Amino acid sequence: MTGSLPRILAVLLKEFTQLRRDRITYAMILVMPVMQLLIFGYAINMDPRHLPAAVLSHDTSTVADSVVAALERTGYVDVRYLPRSDEELDQLIRRGQVMLGITIPPDFTRRLLKGERPQILAEADASDPQAAAGALAAVSVLPTEALRHERLGLGAPRSTAPAFEVVVHRRYNPESRSPFHIVPGLLGIILSMTLVMMTAMAVTRERERGTMETLLSTPATPAEIMVGKLTPYVVVGLVQTVVVLGMARVLFSVPMARTPAGWLALACGIVLFIVGNLSLGYLISTLARSQLQAMQMSMFYMLPSIFLSGFAFPFLGLPPWARVLGEIIPVTHFLRIVRGALLKDQVLADMGNDLLALGLFVLAVAGAALGRSRTTLD
């Protein structure tokens, strides 16, 4: 069987022309590889450094200052906060503002000079075991490296034993179990992947089949149509949430919120996140011309949601520009909310910034979707 080269070239030219006209698919072909290269090449860091830390020092001597300086020299942590009380330090750790909290007792120098090997307390936020490992790596070298020169200057006897001890507390996840970190995060990824794509493709499918024309001919306004279409999917998202949280508890023994205030904060975050994802899916449906385009645009959104949100890799280990992009993604804020409520027993006051970010996202995306909605078909 022989073929005609001119006919083959004609079909080939037709396909290239069709591809060029499909601007969204054409953009995906070019942008997706570039985005993957940039994210994996520049943003992903398996060994996070310069993690935020806080030091509560009750000892004002130069010896205590040397311990803090040695901690920063490791490169794993940056001391950004100097709290004045245990309550303030506890709040910094609970709200995720620092990965490591160091407490130096008031008699540290006095006991050190007596050779009593005093203790300092290191509290790590182990809700993210991978990031906590970097912070604890910085702490592990302090007993042997921090006071090397000071010990000589003070005339302390040479000894192979460390000058002091570091007591480590891994808070919120003492056994560093990865399911405690991964499984709550999966709730955000599952809701994003299913709700955004489900809504985008469902509305786009109605346009392809022509059923949207009948709906638009009714007296219903674009806002009423949007609310009516998204409400059933809110129920779907709530059912998914209950299933995921139930399985997380039964199969992986993931802790749940321990107070009604914690459940209230979690419920607010879940509702805002579900509505935000559905609004984004509806916005995508107003941009896509086919179900294939809707699916492609949904997947384009999922790539940074997985890699720049703190789900797959420590958020604090990302470079500054990647953290800025991550703060725009709603998954980033939802992961903080769900992990904070389940592992840290956070309440509304602890997650106010993240709830505000989700609320602004809902308003912006829902407004854009309504602005794109048409009362007549093209």
Side-chain angles (χ1 to χ4, degrees):
M1 182 177 180
T2 60
S4 170
L5 182 59
R7 289 196 294 268
I8 293 176
L9 291 177
V11 175
L12 185 148
L13 181 61
K14 176 261 181 188
E15 289 301 319
F16 274 115
T17 303
Q18 188 69 26
L19 180 62
R20 181 171 55 85
R21 290 176 178 174
D22 190 353
R23 296 182 179 179
I24 295 181
T25 302
Y26 190 66
M28 293 294 177
I29 294 174
L30 297 178
V31 174
M32 287 291 283
V34 174
M35 178 179 290
Q36 290 178 337
L37 180 64
L38 292 176
I39 290 178
F40 283 96
Y42 290 106
I44 302 305
N45 183 7
M46 301 299 293
D47 185 26
R49 292 177 177 267
H50 301 287
L51 300 170
V55 174
L56 172 59
S57 180
H58 299 288
D59 189 335
T60 58
S61 69
T62 57
V63 177
D65 293 339
S66 297
V67 174
V68 177
L71 182 67
E72 290 196 302
R73 283 198 300 270
T74 63
Y76 280 98
V77 298
D78 293 334
V79 178
R80 301 179 186 176
Y81 300 91
L82 298 174
R84 298 183 178 182
S85 65
D86 294 331
E87 293 75 15
E88 187 178 350
L89 177 61
D90 178 75
Q91 187 179 75
L92 289 171
I93 299 175
R94 189 178 69 253
R95 293 186 175 182
Q97 295 176 261
V98 297
M99 284 298 302
L100 178 68
I102 300 291
T103 302
I104 302 177
D107 59 348
F108 178 75
T109 301
R110 179 177 59 81
R111 295 187 60 190
L112 184 70
L113 294 176
K114 291 182 178 181
E116 297 180 0
R117 296 188 65 194
Q119 296 179 338
I120 65 174
L121 175 63
E123 299 174 277
D125 182 356
S127 60
D128 187 344
Q130 187 174 347
L136 294 178
V139 172
S140 64
V141 302
L142 291 182
T144 57
E145 299 294 331
L147 304 178
R148 177 181 300 177
H149 302 292
E150 283 72 11
R151 289 176 61 193
L152 294 176
L154 292 170
R158 292 181 179 272
S159 173
T160 56
F164 60 91
E165 298 180 16
V166 178
V167 179
V168 175
H169 286 179
R170 292 178 173 85
R171 297 182 56 173
Y172 314 121
N173 188 5
E175 299 177 1
S176 297
R177 295 185 56 188
S178 58
F180 284 16
H181 175 71
I182 295 296
V183 175
L186 274 174
L187 176 61
I189 300 302
I190 291 172
L191 289 177
S192 294
M193 186 174 297
T194 56
L195 296 182
V196 173
M197 186 177 299
M198 188 187 309
T199 308
M201 295 186 66
V203 179
T204 306
R205 181 170 59 249
E206 288 199 27
R207 283 198 172 89
E208 289 183 336
R209 293 177 177 178
T211 56
M212 183 65 76
E213 184 175 8
T214 303
L215 184 61
L216 293 176
S217 65
T218 66
T221 65
E224 293 168 345
I225 294 175
M226 179 177 174
V227 172
K229 282 189 166 297
L230 297 187
T231 300
Y233 295 104
V234 173
V235 178
V236 172
L238 293 175
V239 171
Q240 287 183 320
T241 300
V242 172
V243 171
V244 172
L245 291 180
M247 294 182 67
R249 180 59 180 171
V250 173
L251 299 181
F252 304 101
S253 301
V254 174
M256 296 287 112
R258 292 180 288 275
T259 63
W263 282 110
L264 175 62
L266 179 61
C268 292
I270 289 173
V271 172
L272 285 174
F273 187 66
I274 289 175
V275 175
N277 279 311
L278 294 176
S279 299
L280 179 60
Y282 197 87
L283 175 62
I284 290 175
S285 71
T286 65
L287 299 171
R289 297 181 179 178
S290 65
Q291 293 186 66
L292 176 60
Q293 287 186 352
M295 183 178 65
Q296 290 173 334
M297 295 173 72
S298 300
M299 294 305 299
F300 182 78
Y301 164 74
M302 287 306 304
L303 184 63
S305 295
I306 293 175
F307 295 114
L308 298 182
S309 64
F311 170 74
F313 305 97
F315 183 80
L316 295 175
L318 300 175
W321 64 267
R323 290 200 298 270
V324 171
L325 293 178
E327 293 289 350
I328 303 174
I329 302 171
V331 180
T332 302
H333 302 282
F334 182 71
L335 294 189
R336 293 173 185 165
I337 291 172
V338 67
R339 287 169 178 165
L342 299 185
L343 302 180
K344 303 179 181 181
D345 202 24
Q346 290 183 353
V347 296
L348 287 173
D350 297 316
M351 54 184 70
N353 291 335
D354 294 308
L355 289 172
L356 176 61
L358 287 182
L360 293 176
F361 178 82
V362 170
L363 292 176
V365 175
L370 285 176
R372 287 282 308 176
S373 298
R374 302 181 179 89
T375 57
T376 57
L377 293 177
D378 292 335

